[in-house]
Amino acid sequence: MRSPALRHVLTHLITPLLMCIGMGLAYMGAFVTPEPHHLPVAVVGAAPKAKVFAQTVKDTAGDKLDVRTVTTRADAVGLLKSREVTGAYVPSAEAPELLVASAASDMGATAVEKVFMPVAAEEGVPLKVTDVAEPVADDPTGQGLFFLLIAVSIGSYASVAALGAAGAGLAMRIRALLALGVAAVVSGIGALLAGPVFHLAHHDLAGVWGMAWLYSAGILLIGVGLHTFLKRWTTLTMMVLFVMLNFTSSGGLFRPELQNGFFGTLHAFWNGAGFVEGIRSLLYFADDGLARNVWTLAAWLLAGVAVTALAALHEHSRRPHHHRAHPDAERQSEPAATEEAEKADEEAEAELEETVGV
């Protein structure tokens, strides 16, 4: 290609076009056709009739449902509050009842209602739906935590370009410390949004801040470390890791039982799922499952520390080699040095624009 300027433009178009493809595949693959896959439900009753009914529901639904029986209604409530089941049906000829926990997943509760509404209709009686774990009135669908995830994620991965590109002249330890500081600011913004601004969290706001910091710090350290190796491709990589795969597997809109196996599997260990499910545990389920989600976020933070350490070693090993290969580099003419600095600034600005544009 004869025109360097045109070649430069076309090269920079690769990233947004790949983002377009990736976002389309990820979001549409995860959200367009939600269907139950082994959705866990319970039928309450100790009599043989209840077991026969449960087996009938299972045979009818096939792989869409995993059906178990529990002896008492209290047992069913316990399973819902530990998020082991999405719904529990209490059979009755006069007043059948469906128990759900919409704070765990509003979409999951709706899916369970669609399963058992026709069952009650066949009996000619209305179905009573009881929500044993409702989200706060300020977040009636419980999806506010998903949008909190988006806000904290954008603040984190967008800051990587500033720390990695614009801060490339700083020592890695300085960039790492800045990343931890930025994580504190981003998580503070997240806590303000979750608490005083939108009232998603009516208690344990300090815990929300702590989980947001773990989540944000992990992303920032991974990004700052990767930038050493990937340079301008860091933005695309961060988008894949912390948007395309992260938002879609977080469980913020659809629980893994309503998604295909790929996103359902990611939900078990991805950091976005750890963040969303951990805050749900903190706010609605008496810390049930909180420790596991905190460990998930801590593992991602440790991964960030490892990537950053590798990047520091890589930069340190290249520095002496650079001086040996160019012994008179320090005597470089001022115009050449200025031109090199301007080129670096242009590359950093282009990377920042790509990130902000997303």
Side-chain angles (χ1 to χ4, degrees):
M1 190 175 294
R2 295 183 178 181
S3 172
L6 180 58
R7 183 170 62 250
H8 181 75
V9 170
L10 293 178
T11 299
H12 279 274
L13 281 173
I14 294 174
T15 297
L17 292 176
L18 288 176
M19 287 179 181
C20 177
I21 295 171
M23 292 289 283
L25 291 173
Y27 272 67
M28 297 179 76
F31 296 145
V32 168
T33 56
E35 292 183 355
H37 298 279
H38 297 284
L39 187 70
V41 298
V43 173
V44 179
K49 185 177 180 180
K51 297 184 181 297
V52 171
F53 173 76
Q55 187 60 48
T56 301
V57 172
K58 171 62 180 172
D59 293 341
T60 303
D63 291 338
K64 292 183 177 181
L65 299 180
D66 283 343
V67 186
R68 68 172 80 179
T69 57
V70 295
T71 305
T72 66
R73 185 181 184 279
D75 292 335
V77 171
L79 290 175
L80 282 164
K81 290 189 174 182
S82 63
R83 288 171 287 179
E84 294 183 49
V85 298
T86 307
Y89 184 75
V90 186
S92 172
E94 294 80 24
E97 182 182 20
L98 177 64
L99 306 174
V100 297
S102 61
S105 172
D106 183 66
M107 295 295 186
T110 301
V112 172
E113 288 183 37
K114 289 182 178 179
V115 170
F116 287 102
M117 282 287 187
V119 174
E122 288 181 4
E123 300 292 329
V125 291
L127 178 64
K128 176 184 177 183
V129 179
T130 302
D131 197 337
V132 301
E134 292 183 278
V136 294
D138 298 288
D139 182 22
T141 65
Q143 294 175 4
L145 298 182
F146 176 70
F147 299 108
L148 176 64
L149 168 73
I150 292 175
V152 175
S153 300
I154 290 176
S156 302
Y157 76 73
S159 298
V160 166
L163 293 172
L170 299 173
M172 178 56 74
R173 65 180 181 276
I174 302 298
R175 278 175 277 163
L177 289 173
L178 285 172
L180 297 179
V182 170
V185 175
V186 169
S187 57
I189 293 171
L192 286 174
L193 292 173
V197 178
F198 291 106
H199 309 290
L200 307 179
H202 288 197
H203 56 87
D204 288 307
L205 196 56
V208 172
W209 177 87
M211 296 196 70
W213 183 87
L214 276 174
Y215 173 74
S216 177
I219 292 176
L220 279 157
L221 288 179
I222 288 173
V224 169
L226 287 178
H227 191 272
T228 297
F229 305 102
L230 301 179
K231 303 302 181 187
R232 65 177 295 265
W233 297 107
T234 306
T235 296
L236 179 60
T237 303
M238 297 296 285
M239 286 289 294
V240 171
L241 292 175
F242 302 116
V243 177
M244 298 176 193
L245 299 180
N246 191 27
F247 295 171
T248 50
S249 64
S250 67
L253 294 183
F254 300 112
R255 293 276 299 167
E257 298 86 3
L258 295 177
Q259 297 183 295
N260 60 46
F262 175 73
F263 294 104
T265 300
L266 291 182
H267 181 84
F269 60 90
W270 217 256
N271 62 340
F275 178 73
V276 171
E277 298 295 355
I279 293 183
R280 279 177 176 159
S281 298
L282 191 68
L283 298 181
Y284 297 120
F285 296 99
D287 296 350
D288 181 78
L290 178 61
R292 180 184 181 281
N293 292 300
V294 169
W295 278 113
T296 297
L297 295 177
W300 280 84
L301 177 59
L302 290 174
V305 171
V307 173
T308 305
L310 286 173
L313 289 173
H314 177 75
E315 291 180 1
H316 181 73
S317 66
R318 286 176 59 86
R319 196 171 298 121
H321 173 76
H322 176 77
H323 286 298
R324 286 195 302 268
H326 306 281
D328 58 346
E330 294 181 0
R331 297 192 298 272
Q332 185 181 29
S333 65
E334 185 175 337
T338 302
E339 183 180 349
E340 183 177 335
E342 289 177 351
K343 183 178 180 182
D345 287 342
E346 288 176 2
E347 291 178 354
E349 185 176 352
E351 186 174 343
L352 287 167
E353 288 175 352
E354 284 181 355
T355 305
V356 174
V358 172

